Amino acid sequence: MLVIGLTGGIGSGKTAVSDRFARHGAPVVDTDQLARELVEPGQSALAEIVAYFGPDCLDDAGRLHRARLRERVFADAEGRRRLEAILHPRIRNLVQERVAALTTPYCVVVIPLLAETGKMDLMDRVLVVDAPETEQIRRVMARDRVSETQARRILAAQAGRAQRLALADDVLENVGDLEALDRQVAFLHQRYLALAAAWPA
Ligand code: ATP
């Protein structure tokens, strides 16, 4: 099966794009979603996180306090590496497992931080959703009701546009309206079906 890695900066439109692939019948494996599943109570990853970061990173109900942990690793490079060492191998294994169970011509794996963490072996092509930074900031402010300063802070902590675009096999310029996005995804869907038909089994 042809595996498309989909990435893009915050607010670039990854979810809007992956939702549209799903409507065309392409399965979407979302690594953010897998990361959330992996830290559910009872999971070994959560136990390792608590062992390293302490019980402070849990809320009263014993669930991961994501905001607190995020603040903690934002200022602590060693903690961030530790958290990545706990989560990334597990995410990779889960992606492999989910993709292996699929039977469609192609699938989409959404990996927001691909430029930061590197491409996974199983990805055959990288699709970068790209938008100007001013547009990313505008969308994030509108969607998450954060200030421009906060939106800029998140953007500054991510890889830059050029770094992401350097990894792209395909680029989706998400600069028009949602109807334009429909057409762009429909075009890519046909392209991936054609590529998948010629893909080694
Ligand atoms: P994040 O990295 O935060 O998960 P994302 O890359 O998944 O963000 P989306 O959530 O898809 O980005 O898009 C951000 C916001 O902008 C959403 O509210 C979405 O509906 C809107 N949006 C995305 N693309 C367009 C577009 N072409 N026209 C209008 N609105 C758009």
Side-chain angles (χ1 to χ4, degrees):
M1 112 132 39
L2 176 69
V3 180
I4 310 297
L6 187 160
T7 193
I10 182 166
S12 58
K14 296 178 295 295
T15 306
V17 170
S18 62
D19 283 351
R20 283 164 175 75
F21 276 113
R23 273 184 235 156
H24 284 286
V28 174
V29 178
D30 180 347
T31 54
D32 270 354
Q33 174 59 37
L34 298 185
R36 274 192 290 272
E37 289 176 27
L38 282 167
V39 295
E40 286 289 314
Q43 294 289 327
S44 62
L46 184 61
E48 284 188 29
I49 290 169
V50 174
Y52 183 84
F53 293 96
D56 263 10
C57 63
L58 295 177
D59 65 16
D60 292 344
R63 305 184 71 86
L64 186 65
H65 197 304
R66 299 170 64 85
R68 217 178 281 157
L69 185 64
R70 203 179 306 125
E71 273 306 312
R72 167 90 190 265
V73 298
F74 203 79
D76 169 11
E78 178 53 33
R80 193 159 57 237
R81 273 194 292 277
R82 185 67 215 144
L83 184 62
E84 287 169 0
I86 294 169
L87 288 176
H88 289 178
R90 288 178 166 90
I91 293 174
R92 238 179 321 216
N93 287 343
L94 256 187
V95 169
Q96 236 149 24
E97 211 179 286
R98 301 276 162 100
V99 168
L102 299 172
T103 54
T104 45
Y106 80 95
C107 71
V108 175
V109 177
V110 183
I111 166 160
L113 296 181
L114 183 129
E116 290 81 350
T117 60
K119 191 174 146 181
M120 290 183 194
D121 284 344
L122 90 173
M123 288 174 186
D124 300 304
R125 289 182 83 81
V126 173
L127 168 62
V128 173
V129 182
D130 186 47
E133 286 185 2
T134 48
E135 188 62 24
Q136 284 178 266
I137 288 165
R138 205 184 56 72
R139 286 181 193 151
V140 170
M141 285 171 67
R143 188 194 56 189
D144 302 338
R145 291 163 205 270
V146 295
S147 69
E148 181 173 342
T149 311
Q150 281 169 301
R152 284 191 186 279
R153 186 175 97 144
I154 303 168
L155 232 77
Q158 295 193 337
R161 261 175 105 184
Q163 205 180 331
R164 253 190 312 274
L165 288 171
L167 301 168
D169 297 291
D170 305 300
V171 179
L172 193 160
E173 296 284 357
N174 184 15
V175 291
D177 57 15
L178 292 172
E179 280 176 21
L181 197 61
D182 287 341
R183 286 192 296 275
Q184 287 167 295
V185 174
F187 175 84
L188 281 168
H189 173 65
Q190 292 305 328
R191 180 174 167 75
Y192 292 151
L193 283 181
L195 280 170
W199 206 250

